[in-house]
Amino acid sequence: TCPNCRMAKNFLNQANFEFEEVIANENPELTKALNINQAPTLVEVKDGQVQLIENVSNIRRYIESIVLVKA
């Protein structure tokens, strides 16, 4: 229901970015374990490392950087 979450989800879908949506208030243990304090937050797990990309503008920049690298 969060408008910023919907925008972030739109960016991810438009970029054909594979993701799994996790609703923070339905998964409080995971949210706490990952130290997520705001929505939306994109969590990338790569080579055992966790990176948090918070807020719509940072998520958009991250997606654009990934798309540019793939092009």
Side-chain angles (χ1 to χ4, degrees), residues 43-62:
V43 178
E44 179 187 49
V45 181
K46 187 175 182 180
D47 300 326
Q49 299 295 314
V50 176
Q51 177 184 2
L52 302 180
I53 301 106
E54 299 174 324
N55 78 47
V56 175
S57 58
N58 289 335
I59 291 171
R60 185 176 187 172
R61 274 194 294 276
Y62 175 78

Side-chain angles (χ1 to χ4, degrees), residues 15-59:
N16 294 319
F17 194 90
E18 281 189 48
F19 66 96
E20 179 181 342
E21 181 178 11
V22 176
I23 309 299
N25 60 355
E26 293 176 7
N27 297 280
E29 304 85 21
L30 180 59
T31 303
K32 186 176 181 177
L34 292 172
N35 199 28
I36 295 173
N37 297 311
Q38 65 175 313
T41 297
L42 179 64
V43 178
E44 179 187 49
V45 181
K46 187 175 182 180
D47 300 326
Q49 299 295 314
V50 176
Q51 177 184 2
L52 302 180
I53 301 106
E54 299 174 324
N55 78 47
V56 175
S57 58
N58 289 335
I59 291 171

